[in-house]
Amino acid sequence: MLKIPQNLLDQIHQHLEETYPEEGVGFLLGMDGEPRVVTEILIVPNAREKEERHHRYDVAPQDIIDADETAEKKGLSIIGVFHSHPEHPDKPSEFDRERAHSFFSYIITSVEKGKSVSSRSWRLLEDRSKFIEEEIEIK
Amino acid sequence: MPSIKIPTPLRPYTEGKQIISIEGETVGEALSFLLSLHPELKEHFYKEDGQLSRFANIFLGNKHIITLQDLETPLLEEDILRIIPSIAGGIDL
């Protein structure tokens, strides 16, 4: 289970509306365990070339390093990644699966006509065969 | 002795260790040493043929090792390596 406060989910939705029609991305910072608890989000730029951003996201290595340093200073961990699927469902794509890590939670938000309409969280199985949905509890 | 800084999401696989001192004169030797200590890391960053996965970025200071001599990059005593998981995805059109 992934616990996230309503205000952080609202911030995620707002950011992903701002990046629409491009995919937006950011980190989930918090505490690992059962459940995982998100205590902060960190927005980062989509590092893909502009003409690809409507269906791809990438995070620059330096932004990953900076996010990890931020998490560490606060006694937190990077526990996941959020990103948007403009005009597509909040389910992982095959491209998402190929590039995912089993140690992260992946919140995917469907953005339709510029509005964030739904979000679900996903975990990749250790054998990388598929994602399974992770229950979200909004506090 | 060179060291490897472990990013926060990988620390469950290194018994919570943040920095690990490593033996090895090259990046490749250092990574092999790390895996001998923490073999659980292997499935996340190595392919079945033993080659480093393209989903792991290894940095020496602020430089990606592919811009240096890749796994043959020599290490100095004070060097710090980082393993950075790649983060990417997107919809299928």
Side-chain angles (χ1 to χ4, degrees), chain A residues 56 68-69 72 93 96 101, chain B residues 8 11 82 86 89-92:
Chain A
R56 293 285 182 264
D68 199 52
E69 296 281 346
E72 185 173 58
S93 66
D96 285 328
H101 301 283
Chain B
T8 57
R11 291 178 193 169
R82 287 175 183 264
S86 66
I91 51 180
D92 297 321

Side-chain angles (χ1 to χ4, degrees), chain A:
Chain A
M1 180 192 286
L2 185 73
K3 283 190 173 184
I4 183 167
Q6 182 70 58
N7 69 311
L8 294 186
L9 193 58
D10 291 345
Q11 287 176 36
I12 289 172
H13 287 170
Q14 182 182 343
H15 174 64
L16 299 178
E17 290 175 1
E18 290 167 358
T19 61
Y20 179 90
E22 296 176 352
E23 293 200 10
V25 58
F27 290 106
L28 308 172
L29 272 51
M31 287 156 286
D32 202 358
E34 186 50 51
R36 290 185 147 181
V37 180
V38 182
T39 58
E40 290 190 34
I41 65 161
L42 205 55
I43 291 167
V44 288
N46 183 345
R48 284 301 296 252
E49 53 276 42
K50 185 159 183 59
E51 59 271 24
E52 294 292 328
R53 286 184 211 150
H54 65 288
H55 73 130
R56 293 285 182 264
Y57 76 88
D58 201 346
V59 181
Q62 190 59 54
D63 286 331
I64 302 171
I65 292 171
D66 290 346
D68 199 52
E69 296 281 346
T70 297
E72 185 173 58
K73 282 177 189 162
K74 297 182 175 189
L76 304 173
S77 295
I78 298 177
I79 57 174
V81 175
F82 67 87
H83 77 280
S84 56
H85 280 181
E87 304 299 341
H88 279 73
D90 53 4
K91 296 193 301 187
S93 66
E94 176 62 12
F95 192 81
D96 285 328
R97 187 194 64 78
E98 290 171 355
R99 284 153 181 78
H101 301 283
S102 60
F103 45 79
F104 282 143
S105 295
Y106 288 88
I107 289 181
I108 299 177
T109 299
S110 175
V111 185
E112 295 179 5
K113 297 178 180 167
K115 293 293 293 181
S116 295
V117 294
S118 60
S119 292
R120 288 197 273 178
S121 184
W122 303 87
R123 295 287 303 268
L124 183 70
L125 293 179
E126 290 278 346
D127 66 7
R128 306 190 55 83
S129 60
K130 63 177 180 178
F131 276 99
I132 56 169
E133 186 169 0
E134 177 180 44
E135 183 184 355
I136 296 180
E137 181 179 310
I138 301 169
K139 293 190 291 182

